[in-house]
Amino acid sequence: ISGKSERKGQKDARILVGGRAFIWPFLERCDFLSLELRTIQVESNQSMTVKGVSVNIIGVCQVKVSGYSEVDGSLIRDENAIRLAAQHFLGATDEEIDNSIRQTMEGHQRAILGTLSVEEVYRDRRAFSESVKRVATEDMRNMGLEIVSYTISHIRDSEGYLEALGVMQTQL
């Protein structure tokens, strides 16, 4: 809630999570930002590994506005994160928010992929996922968001490298 914010010495906009409030017509304005979980598919097509093999990776991440933090076993509202998210996303459509998250995650997904070989990604998807999540967490936090989960759903290549790798594994 922004506008007539001089009351009680308050200079910033008020944040209300749930509940209701009276809005002074013409003096205050009320904007809404969903705190719901978003599931976003992150595609990196024709991404190069450290050995120059081009792969297509599809990851799935779940992201939300970091509205609450756990401190000593109890939930505390994280107003700073809500303010950051509001600063970045108030007035944006759900598609614009999802696209911003997708582009950020794709950049980190490509960056981590560029430091690994196909074999490393293929054999240890969990380590790859954890690396992407760890690196992207700070950027998401700077946007007032929190990565709840991130996982790889598909790894493919157009050159048959992964098939050949699977055949070699079977023969061993």
Side-chain angles (χ1 to χ4, degrees):
I1 302 170
S2 60
K4 185 186 172 283
S5 61
E6 294 297 323
R7 64 184 204 147
K8 298 181 189 175
Q10 182 180 350
K11 300 262 186 222
D12 292 332
R14 291 184 284 160
I15 293 176
L16 181 66
V17 178
R20 56 185 165 243
F22 179 77
I23 308 299
W24 289 97
F26 306 108
L27 298 176
E28 291 183 312
R29 177 177 131 174
C30 180
D31 293 297
F32 296 92
L33 181 64
S34 173
L35 301 181
E36 291 180 351
L37 187 69
R38 297 171 178 276
T39 301
I40 298 170
Q41 185 170 312
V42 183
E43 294 183 31
S44 296
N45 295 316
Q46 303 301 312
S47 300
M48 291 295 182
T49 64
V50 73
K51 294 183 179 179
V53 177
S54 178
V55 295
N56 301 325
I57 291 192
I58 299 175
V60 176
C61 68
Q62 293 186 314
V63 179
K64 68 180 189 81
V65 171
S66 187
Y68 290 90
S69 299
E70 187 174 348
V71 177
D72 298 329
S74 61
L75 290 177
I76 307 239
R77 187 167 47 182
D78 188 353
E79 286 198 13
N80 290 332
I82 296 171
R83 286 185 194 285
L84 279 170
Q87 180 182 12
H88 291 287
F89 301 117
L90 270 185
T93 65
D94 283 343
E95 290 173 356
E96 291 169 332
I97 295 169
D98 290 353
N99 192 43
S100 179
I101 295 167
R102 184 177 296 108
Q103 287 178 353
T104 301
M105 291 300 295
E106 182 181 350
H108 290 296
Q109 187 170 274
R110 283 181 182 275
I112 297 298
L113 184 61
T115 66
L116 301 171
S117 68
V118 176
E119 293 85 0
E120 291 171 318
V121 175
Y122 189 72
R123 286 187 191 129
D124 198 355
R125 290 180 181 204
R126 177 181 224 132
F128 176 76
S129 296
E130 288 172 0
S131 294
V132 172
K133 183 178 177 184
R134 185 181 65 252
V135 171
T137 294
E138 185 176 344
D139 281 350
M140 290 296 162
R141 178 67 184 162
N142 289 337
M143 292 189 281
L145 303 172
E146 174 184 344
I147 302 171
V148 176
S149 70
Y150 172 82
T151 187
I152 297 300
S153 62
H154 292 81
I155 302 174
R156 294 195 175 107
D157 71 312
S158 57
E159 300 161 10
Y161 188 84
L162 288 171
E163 281 184 36
L165 183 64
V167 169
M168 288 174 40
Q169 292 290 328
T170 304
Q171 290 176 353
L172 295 176

